[in-house]
Amino acid sequence: YDIADIIFVPTSWAKNVMIDNGFTEDRIKIAPSGVDRDIFTPDIKIDESDISEGKYIFLNIGKWEIRKGHDLLVHIFNKAFDKKDDVELWMVNANPFLSEKENQHWENMYTKSKLGNKIRIFPRLPTQEHIAKLIKLSNCGIYPARAEGWNNEALETMSMNKPIILTNYSGHTQYANTKNSFLIEIDTL
């Protein structure tokens, strides 16, 4: 730490974490991430035949991790809905840092659950444009993270005028609030 003149963090939440862990405030600067509005725009063109008529589609993006709440999301979805509900949960979560077996374990947790036939697991997408098209096709982003430095996926979803559900904790509270998000209150860390 003594080598760096300045440490850049993405949010005031991250800055407070640094201060709480002994870093001096004057050396920490906030440099928020951004969204490419040429890609993540509500005006993006999609193939209309891809639109699911009548289905309400929840979307989660972000590599498989407990930190991102993926162990909870499947239970939340299975508790909130049943087989007769016209909903789907789309997951874009391949984690390049996990083994094939570990990625498969996460996928099985979802596809072998009570509503596994209403859950679609997408492979790692090749471009940001592909991600933007999935966001456009979905109805709502859901991000029940335990901790996020920024949660750019949620911000990208918001930038396409989609509602989001996410925890009222950590980095994304820099931009997510009760006026633009459905916040999940938590009472323990």
Side-chain angles (χ1 to χ4, degrees), residues 8-101:
F8 290 98
V9 295
T11 61
S12 56
W13 173 81
K15 180 177 181 176
N16 289 333
V17 168
M18 299 289 289
I19 293 167
D20 290 348
N21 285 281
F23 293 86
T24 58
E25 184 174 357
D26 61 322
R27 293 173 68 186
I28 304 167
K29 304 294 181 204
I30 298 172
S33 299
V35 172
D36 186 337
R37 294 286 293 154
D38 289 333
I39 297 172
F40 294 96
T41 172
D43 301 328
I44 189 171
K45 301 296 181 223
I46 58 170
D47 184 348
E48 296 297 321
S49 67
D50 290 336
I51 296 175
S52 296
E53 288 297 322
K55 284 188 181 156
Y56 196 90
I57 298 168
F58 294 92
L59 176 66
N60 178 275
I61 307 166
K63 63 185 180 292
W64 293 120
E65 289 185 350
I66 288 176
R67 175 182 65 85
K68 291 185 175 281
H70 292 129
D71 58 321
L72 301 172
L73 181 54
V74 66
H75 298 293
I76 293 167
F77 185 72
N78 281 295
K79 187 174 182 179
F81 303 106
D82 60 39
K83 293 182 187 299
K84 69 177 175 19
D85 293 317
D86 207 5
V87 298
E88 285 188 357
L89 175 60
W90 290 2
M91 303 294 291
V92 184
N93 311 102
N95 187 336
F97 305 108
L98 297 180
S99 69
E100 186 177 329
K101 183 178 178 181

Side-chain angles (χ1 to χ4, degrees), residues 27-186:
R27 293 173 68 186
I28 304 167
K29 304 294 181 204
I30 298 172
S33 299
V35 172
D36 186 337
R37 294 286 293 154
D38 289 333
I39 297 172
F40 294 96
T41 172
D43 301 328
I44 189 171
K45 301 296 181 223
I46 58 170
D47 184 348
E48 296 297 321
S49 67
D50 290 336
I51 296 175
S52 296
E53 288 297 322
K55 284 188 181 156
Y56 196 90
I57 298 168
F58 294 92
L59 176 66
N60 178 275
I61 307 166
K63 63 185 180 292
W64 293 120
E65 289 185 350
I66 288 176
R67 175 182 65 85
K68 291 185 175 281
H70 292 129
D71 58 321
L72 301 172
L73 181 54
V74 66
H75 298 293
I76 293 167
F77 185 72
N78 281 295
K79 187 174 182 179
F81 303 106
D82 60 39
K83 293 182 187 299
K84 69 177 175 19
D85 293 317
D86 207 5
V87 298
E88 285 188 357
L89 175 60
W90 290 2
M91 303 294 291
V92 184
N93 311 102
N95 187 336
F97 305 108
L98 297 180
S99 69
E100 186 177 329
K101 183 178 178 181
E102 290 168 314
N103 274 297
Q104 191 62 54
H105 169 76
W106 281 106
E107 288 183 27
N108 289 344
M109 185 185 305
Y110 281 76
T111 59
K112 295 180 189 276
S113 71
K114 177 181 95 174
L115 297 177
N117 64 330
K118 293 183 174 287
I119 299 172
R120 290 181 58 186
I121 309 289
F122 290 85
R124 188 168 176 84
L125 299 175
T127 67
Q128 294 290 295
E129 288 82 358
H130 287 88
I131 292 171
K133 287 179 182 178
L134 272 189
I135 294 171
K136 175 81 173 192
L137 291 168
S138 71
N139 298 99
C140 179
I142 183 163
Y143 304 97
R146 289 181 172 90
E148 283 283 357
W150 184 249
N151 200 341
N152 213 48
E153 299 88 354
L155 191 59
E156 291 165 346
T157 304
M158 291 172 78
S159 78
M160 295 185 68
N161 289 340
K162 299 293 181 171
I164 59 168
I165 302 167
L166 71 170
T167 47
N168 192 13
Y169 175 72
S170 73
H172 48 246
T173 58
Q174 187 84 25
Y175 56 83
N177 57 55
T178 57
K179 292 179 180 155
N180 63 18
S181 308
F182 297 99
L183 297 177
I184 303 165
E185 296 300 330
I186 57 171

